[in-house]
Amino acid sequence: MIKAVFRKELITNLLTYRFIFGLGTVIALTAIVTFPLVADYEHRLTTYQEAQTNAEHLLTGVRVWAELEPILSRRPSPLAILQQGVEGKLQPTITISPGQPVHLVGLDDGERRYLEFLPNFDSTTIVSMLLALLALLFSFDAFSGEKEAGSLRMIMSQPIRRWKLLLGKYLGILTTLTAMLAMGLVGSLLILRFRGTFQLNEDEWLAMVVIWFLYVLYLSLFLLIGLVCSALTHRSNLTLLVAMTCWLVLVIVWPHVARSLAEQVNPLPSLQRIEREHEELDRQFATQVNGYDREHNPMYKPENQGKFYWGMNTGDVRTHSLANTFYIVRSDFPQLIEHRQQLREFSEPLRVELTNKVEQLYADYERRLWQQTKLARLLGCPAPVVLMRWSTAVLSGTDLSQYLDSASAARQYRLLVLSYLERKGFGSVDYTTDQYRAQSQERADHSSDEEAPALPVSDLPRFDPPNDSVQERLQMVFLPSGGLVLMNCLLLAIAIACIEHYDVR
Amino acid sequence: MKTAIMVVIIIKKELREILVSGRYQFAALLILMAMMIAGWNSAKTAEHLKSLSSQRTSIDEARLSEQARSLVSVAFNGRSALKPQDNLELLVGTSEHQLPDQIDVNVDQILTIRNGRSSNPTLSDLFELDWIFVFFYLVSFAAILSSYDAICGEREQGTLQLVLGNPISRESLVLGKFIAIVLSLGALAIVGSMLNLLVVWLIGSVSVSSLDVARILLIWMVGLFFLAVMVGLGIFGSSLFRSSVSSLLTLVFVWAVMVQVIPSLARSAAEELEPVPQQKTTQANLNATLVQMSKEEMSTRPAVNGSRVLNRRRNPPSPIELHYFDYQIRMAALDRATWDDYYQRQLRQARFAERLTWLSPNWLFRSATETLAGGGIDWQLSLFEQARIHRNTLGEFIKQQDQLDNQSPHIYFVESSISERPVNPSLVPRFRYQPAGFIQTLAAAFPPIGLLVLIGFVLLGLSMVVINRYDVRN
């Protein structure tokens, strides 16, 4: 019996003007949206590939240990065409070095300084706004409309249970909507096929399927809201009014209010403060290193008075700052080289210590950022759109949490690199002094500008990116998508309860 | 005269009906609540931003007094040009939290343009809660929900035939309904914003001057125009369709397109039609030219024996130094021109995108209102120009101070040719953002307001044309 209702409902829906209109909208919008998003993705991908090759190149060309600065880049997610998330808003590359704190959020990043005031558009936005509206449009007159038309009494006189009728209608409309979504998907996949550079691996295909499944879940929720409204009211006109109001509150008002509440309850600290703190530590570093230098540099010793003069190759560099990680001492004087080594022994641990302090500030900021986001999501979770956006962002690999995970993995990795450098010895000749120079000292060949051979970096620890497999992502979205499923069950139960009490007169 | 009386009677009757209707009461609840929460939100944000901005000023001052140890350091380190919070900006709401508010300049060039307000990248797609939010989403939606069945609903109930049986022209019926809905919702919106002001005043973190009051009145006026456009749209829909259900379906869809689809398309279109080269590409091109210039300088350097040291300040400079300074000045000029052009193109692009969003009345309203409230792209242009003027002022100051040092070669602006003497930090000119005057604001906001009014008239006129062709039979 359900099957009969389902078939009838499906066929009626497919023939309506509404369906054709909805289908046209979905296909047109997906097509329009896919082009710029794919172009954006391709741009990010080339940047990533360039950064990768560049990083490899830098690693093989290290001539002194202080030059060792591995660059980590986050692979852009192709699924960002479904949900942009924070992709493009946060820096994808992180440089690892003793003097640079690892941080994700800074004051100046982002190229589009002025265009940001316009909203981003992706499939998730289309589904969460327009398709949710369509879902309501398909379901609002399921009962009240049939009642007005007088056909509801006819159906009810048939030997069919009311809940079966509801289920049949529900499944029929859901299939219609799924068909529409699938068409949109096929449309965008066709576009992607024409652009050859776009490729997905198996995990991403799976994530994409799950995302489309979540879209269906979300739409089913709005469909059920429409059915409940329909089963509570007696005129289709009124049903539509109520359904539209529900849509406005659930899709627009609630998430905005949740955002504002979260921002007020859990405000972010000032980034300027952190920048300033960084500057101050930087200065502290310079003062201490300069002080040490003044005290121990043989150039300033009274017994060496007059031995050094300006213009001599003393290798004296006077800029000390946290970020200036290295300078290569090209000195002709063994005394000075020895002093440089001691200075390094003194300055490098200090640099690491102070940079760690700055890094801690940024890490705290990121923690606060994540807390605010979590709070906004928690407050927003009665609105299905928040749950849906949350889970699709995680599944497409563009969620803030995933970026934060990479940042903390990078911080771990930085510690590994630092201990590696420490093993190599901050005070060793290889740390800052050009090897070739050191050797040529004995040969008294000062004029040569030949470059020193590269240092072997094969024993450098490799960066282990955080686990970002599809299983991991699925685990992460268990909660929000579970919430969506739960809401669906709840609304289905409510709809059945309502329809059982519906007065068909 | 007779028609006027008729219209008044219709308005009265409609108003009574609207006021007791469930949807009006629900809209009232939603709008008033939202306005009150928005008031709380703006007041709190104002407090937060105020402390943030005083922090920024003190940080800037501290930096300046450190750099004042030498004139050259003052000249070449960034001085911030900050756009302070406009009083109305928070109440009314603008897209300022997504736009830069700080431009760092030195005597030579623009160093960075950035948004110093810490904002959450996951939440930035959502609006702040403020007047614009309430009007943009809630009032406009309420307008459509109140007017979608103005004509076709009456037809469905069969009352339209009765009404038109009286000596009433169809136009006056449409006009009466239009005015009644605009009045009822307009009163709601304005009472709501007054409540909002009350909440803000009670929390007491935003002070409003008399000029601000004039701007608030203007903003209310724009809000009413916007409301009128949305009601006009609703009535047009209702007199176009025969069933109120299809009228509402279409209108809500059009609404969603105007709110969400048009701005996103405008963004993509602006990126396509007014492209800005990537920062990386610009930098690479610039570097290539600079390398070329440097080679030229090396090859044409005058051959003079001795005096190759360039890091000592002395007056007069040697010929080789003069040659080098000249090269540096040309290099800096190229650098400056490149980046100025780059930022200007970004601004032009954003402005173009904003113009494209004017296809949607919602964004037209938003654009007009935020211009009146002292935010948005229009004033970004002004900030940019003011920062460039500040760069020149700073340059004049540095020249004047440098003249006092006899040892400096007085060549502007080369880093190794400016005095290293300390400077009194209180003399260094500070950037002060000049907000636009009332007339200027009005002039800037005029095009979107004019368009809004025009659209309103067109919709109302169209409804009057369409209603005359309306088939009132059931």
Side-chain angles (χ1 to χ4, degrees):
Chain A
M1 208 56 201
I2 293 184
K3 217 168 142 191
V5 178
F6 166 74
R7 236 192 14 242
K8 177 228 145 207
E9 198 60 31
L10 186 63
I11 290 170
T12 337
N13 276 331
L14 290 182
L15 291 176
T16 50
Y17 167 68
R18 263 182 242 171
F19 177 74
I20 297 173
F21 174 69
L23 189 63
T25 322
V26 171
I27 291 179
L29 280 180
T30 340
I32 293 175
V33 162
T34 308
F35 277 116
L37 287 178
V38 170
D40 260 14
Y41 166 71
E42 279 168 355
H43 163 51
R44 281 198 297 273
L45 192 66
T46 31
T47 317
Y48 167 74
Q49 282 159 350
E50 273 167 25
Q52 277 306 78
T53 25
N54 201 15
E56 286 296 317
H57 181 71
L58 283 180
L59 273 191
T60 50
V62 169
R63 282 163 220 295
V64 291
W65 288 118
E67 265 182 354
L68 184 74
E69 288 189 344
I71 297 173
L72 309 178
S73 351
R74 205 187 140 78
R75 200 173 78 89
S77 167
L79 291 181
I81 56 161
L82 295 181
Q83 155 77 291
Q84 284 245 285
V86 291
E87 193 115 312
K89 290 180 184 165
L90 295 178
Q91 288 288 16
T93 54
I94 291 173
T95 308
I96 304 287
S97 93
Q100 287 182 45
V102 170
H103 62 101
L104 204 58
V105 190
L107 269 176
D108 39 9
D109 31 32
E111 265 189 51
R112 295 182 186 123
R113 287 172 185 78
Y114 292 107
L115 219 50
E116 279 304 318
F117 75 103
L118 291 174
N120 252 324
F121 212 28
D122 46 32
S123 313
T124 306
T125 319
I126 299 179
V127 173
S128 67
M129 286 190 76
L130 296 176
L131 287 189
L133 207 56
L134 272 179
L136 285 178
L137 300 190
F138 273 106
S139 61
F140 79 96
D141 55 357
F143 298 109
S144 48
E146 292 230 28
K147 186 180 159 180
E148 276 179 338
S151 53
L152 194 60
R153 278 183 129 165
M154 283 266 284
I155 299 172
M156 293 291 191
S157 63
Q158 305 285 322
I160 176 172
R161 299 286 300 275
R162 287 186 175 194
W163 65 269
K164 282 189 175 167
L165 177 71
L166 179 109
L167 221 56
K169 275 185 180 273
Y170 166 70
L171 290 176
I173 304 173
L174 193 62
T175 315
T176 318
L177 286 172
T178 314
M180 242 149 66
L181 259 182
M183 298 281 193
L185 172 69
V186 169
S188 57
L189 285 181
L190 275 179
I191 294 175
L192 296 181
R193 260 213 78 76
F194 282 117
R195 322 221 14 164
T197 51
F198 193 87
Q199 268 158 7
L200 295 176
N201 61 27
E202 268 169 37
D203 270 14
E204 283 156 352
W205 275 111
L206 183 57
M208 192 163 181
V209 170
V210 179
I211 288 176
W212 283 83
F213 178 67
L214 280 172
Y215 286 168
V216 173
L217 262 185
Y218 175 77
L219 291 182
S220 132
L221 205 58
F222 274 86
L223 201 162
L224 283 169
I225 291 174
L227 286 181
V228 169
C229 290
S230 184
L232 281 175
T233 50
H234 294 270
R235 277 186 301 120
S236 62
N237 194 343
L238 185 64
T239 321
L240 188 56
L241 205 64
V242 175
M244 290 298 107
T245 316
C246 284
W247 177 82
L248 182 75
V249 171
L250 287 181
V251 176
I252 302 217
V253 179
W254 197 286
H256 280 92
V257 172
R259 173 234 158 114
S260 284
L261 283 180
E263 277 186 338
Q264 298 307 344
V265 173
N266 209 341
L268 292 175
S270 137
L271 273 172
Q272 264 95 0
R273 204 56 263 160
I274 299 179
E275 223 180 39
R276 179 66 185 160
E277 210 101 1
H278 192 166
E279 267 171 35
E280 248 144 42
L281 290 175
D282 207 38
R283 199 166 41 246
Q284 200 179 324
F285 175 76
T287 327
Q288 289 198 29
V289 175
N290 276 335
Y292 183 92
D293 194 23
R294 290 245 149 240
E295 213 174 301
H296 297 92
N297 197 330
M299 277 172 70
Y300 307 124
K301 295 259 169 72
E303 66 265 25
N304 289 336
Q305 203 76 54
K307 281 193 189 165
F308 298 100
Y309 53 88
W310 277 105
M312 220 176 186
N313 191 4
T314 55
D316 207 32
V317 184
R318 291 244 157 267
T319 47
H320 297 292
S321 74
L322 286 175
N324 245 351
T325 331
F326 67 94
Y327 44 89
I328 297 166
V329 182
R330 287 169 180 268
S331 172
D332 302 343
F333 305 96
Q335 253 180 318
L336 271 178
I337 293 186
E338 205 174 300
H339 163 66
R340 286 287 152 206
Q341 281 171 271
Q342 282 160 7
L343 186 69
R344 279 281 151 190
E345 297 248 18
F346 171 76
S347 74
E348 286 320 280
L350 185 66
R351 184 201 304 278
V352 169
E353 183 198 324
L354 295 182
T355 312
N356 285 351
K357 274 189 191 168
V358 184
E359 194 175 274
Q360 194 51 48
L361 293 175
Y362 278 111
D364 282 345
Y365 181 86
E366 281 159 22
R367 198 170 42 79
R368 294 280 292 274
L369 191 66
W370 177 232
Q371 276 172 358
Q372 194 186 59
T373 313
K374 268 200 304 199
L375 186 65
R377 282 174 178 172
L378 189 73
L379 291 172
C381 72
V385 59
V386 173
L387 294 178
M388 200 271 273
R389 292 195 76 96
W390 174 5
S391 15
T392 46
V394 172
L395 282 170
S396 6
T398 56
D399 192 48
L400 180 66
S401 63
Q402 287 156 327
Y403 269 78
L404 291 176
D405 281 351
S406 342
S408 54
R411 288 197 181 106
Q412 293 296 326
Y413 180 63
R414 179 166 173 271
L415 295 182
L416 282 182
V417 173
L418 289 181
S419 68
Y420 174 79
L421 287 176
E422 208 175 348
R423 278 204 303 281
K424 296 291 171 193
F426 289 136
S428 76
V429 179
D430 286 347
Y431 194 78
T432 49
T433 309
D434 202 312
Q435 238 182 1
Y436 182 75
R437 280 285 161 188
Q439 287 161 1
S440 69
Q441 205 93 61
E442 293 150 18
R443 295 185 303 196
D445 176 16
H446 306 319
S447 55
S448 168
D449 272 338
E450 217 176 295
E451 282 197 332
L455 290 168
V457 288
S458 50
D459 55 340
L460 178 72
R462 287 271 147 198
F463 176 58
D464 185 22
N467 185 6
D468 191 28
S469 66
V470 75
Q471 285 83 7
E472 184 73 14
R473 290 184 189 176
L474 284 175
Q475 270 174 22
M476 281 168 77
V477 298
F478 180 72
L479 216 62
S481 44
L484 278 180
V485 173
L486 206 70
M487 281 180 175
N488 267 304
C489 297
L490 205 68
L491 270 172
L492 193 61
I494 294 176
I496 290 175
C498 289
I499 194 65
E500 291 294 345
H501 291 102
Y502 195 63
D503 183 1
V504 292
R505 283 169 301 177
Chain B
M1 197 59 211
K2 226 174 181 176
T3 16
I5 296 172
M6 245 13 241
V7 171
V8 170
I9 292 174
I10 295 172
I11 293 175
K12 272 188 188 159
K13 177 222 148 213
E14 285 291 325
L15 270 180
R16 271 191 211 107
E17 266 180 23
I18 292 172
L19 290 181
V20 295
S21 69
R23 59 180 131 160
Y24 183 73
Q25 285 157 6
F26 185 75
L29 188 75
L30 205 63
I31 290 173
L32 296 185
M33 287 252 295
M35 273 294 195
M36 262 146 57
I37 301 177
W40 174 77
N41 184 46
S42 322
K44 285 286 172 197
T45 315
E47 266 170 29
H48 181 63
L49 285 181
K50 212 173 268 178
S51 75
L52 208 71
S53 105
S54 69
Q55 240 180 46
R56 285 163 86 173
T57 325
S58 64
I59 288 174
D60 270 0
E61 287 298 318
R63 272 193 194 132
L64 180 60
S65 57
E66 278 157 26
Q67 289 158 3
R69 272 177 300 202
S70 98
L71 187 65
V72 61
S73 163
V74 173
F76 283 93
N77 276 296
R79 303 256 71 82
S80 307
L82 280 182
K83 182 172 184 298
Q85 207 69 45
D86 192 291
N87 275 338
L88 289 192
E89 218 176 280
L90 285 164
L91 280 182
V92 174
T94 56
S95 36
E96 288 300 282
H97 65 286
Q98 284 159 330
L99 288 170
D101 66 342
Q102 178 180 351
I103 301 184
D104 286 354
V105 295
N106 67 15
V107 284
D108 234 10
Q109 56 176 308
I110 291 170
L111 298 173
T112 56
I113 297 189
R114 59 198 195 173
N115 186 350
R117 293 165 211 184
S118 329
S119 64
N120 190 333
T122 44
L123 303 179
S124 62
D125 279 348
L126 300 170
F127 281 31
E128 299 263 0
L129 278 191
D130 44 37
W131 290 14
I132 287 198
F133 168 79
V134 175
F135 273 91
F136 188 92
Y137 285 121
L138 305 186
V139 174
S140 71
F141 204 75
I144 282 185
L145 291 195
S146 320
S147 57
Y148 77 96
D149 58 353
I151 307 295
C152 51
E154 291 228 30
R155 185 196 67 83
E156 281 173 345
Q157 287 172 15
T159 48
L160 192 61
Q161 269 181 332
L162 286 181
V163 174
L164 291 181
N166 294 308
I168 300 175
S169 71
R170 291 187 174 197
E171 286 89 353
S172 50
L173 180 72
V174 165
L175 194 67
K177 282 185 178 270
F178 172 77
I179 293 176
I181 299 173
V182 170
L183 279 183
S184 58
L185 283 176
L188 204 60
I190 287 177
V191 169
S193 14
M194 282 175 171
L195 273 179
N196 175 292
L197 283 175
L198 186 71
V199 172
V200 171
W201 180 71
L202 284 178
I203 298 177
S205 54
V206 180
S207 55
V208 174
S209 73
S210 56
L211 198 64
D212 292 343
V213 173
R215 286 197 291 162
I216 287 180
L217 290 176
L218 265 174
I219 287 168
W220 277 341
M221 196 183 76
V222 177
L224 288 183
F225 287 156
F226 171 55
L227 175 64
V229 167
M230 296 317 277
V231 174
L233 187 68
I235 289 200
F236 177 58
S238 86
S239 49
L240 202 61
F241 288 95
R242 296 189 41 81
S243 101
S244 58
V245 167
S246 23
S247 159
L248 184 53
L249 289 186
T250 317
L251 285 172
V252 169
F253 218 80
V254 168
W255 182 86
V257 168
M258 292 191 310
V259 164
Q260 189 71 34
V261 180
I262 289 184
S264 311
L265 292 186
R267 184 179 169 146
S268 309
E271 277 179 344
E272 206 56 45
L273 299 174
E274 281 263 344
V276 177
Q278 285 158 22
Q279 196 161 11
K280 209 175 55 188
T281 330
T282 316
Q283 185 71 58
N285 289 343
L286 180 66
N287 285 349
T289 324
L290 290 182
V291 166
Q292 190 61 36
M293 279 171 77
S294 150
K295 274 181 193 153
E296 259 174 48
E297 195 268 342
M298 294 284 252
S299 59
T300 56
R301 195 179 274 180
V304 182
N305 287 331
S307 75
R308 287 188 57 87
V309 182
L310 292 166
N311 55 5
R312 285 285 184 73
R313 283 161 177 73
R314 62 173 151 207
N315 194 12
S318 67
I320 194 166
E321 277 169 350
L322 273 178
H323 188 262
Y324 180 69
F325 288 158
D326 176 56
Y327 153 69
Q328 288 231 312
I329 289 170
R330 276 185 293 125
M331 203 169 73
L334 181 68
D335 204 5
R336 178 170 55 232
T338 310
W339 291 113
D340 278 12
D341 178 58
Y342 173 75
Y343 292 130
Q344 272 170 334
R345 286 177 77 163
Q346 280 202 338
L347 271 166
R348 265 208 303 276
Q349 185 189 49
R351 211 183 153 83
F352 179 65
E354 194 212 20
R355 295 290 186 267
L356 287 181
T357 62
W358 285 5
L359 286 170
S360 144
N362 296 56
W363 285 82
L364 209 53
F365 159 76
R366 187 177 142 144
S367 199
T369 316
E370 73 182 2
T371 304
L372 286 175
I377 288 293
D378 278 325
W379 306 136
Q380 283 295 328
L381 280 168
S382 155
L383 175 68
F384 185 76
E385 283 313 315
Q386 288 184 34
R388 292 216 294 181
I389 293 171
H390 184 62
R391 179 170 74 190
N392 296 339
T393 321
L394 208 60
E396 288 306 314
F397 168 77
I398 298 292
K399 277 181 193 167
Q400 184 198 331
Q401 291 291 312
D402 186 61
Q403 292 293 334
L404 304 176
D405 184 357
N406 290 332
Q407 277 172 352
S408 158
H410 307 312
I411 292 184
Y412 307 115
F413 289 99
V414 180
E415 218 164 329
S416 49
S417 122
I418 289 177
S419 167
E420 270 179 320
R421 283 188 187 174
V423 56
N424 181 357
S426 59
L427 292 180
V428 178
R430 310 293 202 272
F431 178 81
R432 214 161 270 292
Y433 177 74
Q434 295 288 333
F438 188 67
I439 301 296
Q440 205 188 342
T441 310
L442 216 56
F446 180 72
I449 297 179
L451 256 177
L452 208 56
V453 174
L454 191 72
I455 295 179
F457 273 117
V458 167
L459 281 173
L460 198 61
L462 277 178
S463 324
M464 286 181 177
V465 172
V466 173
I467 187 75
N468 273 318
R469 297 173 49 84
Y470 200 72
D471 181 1
V472 293
R473 284 167 305 174
N474 255 325

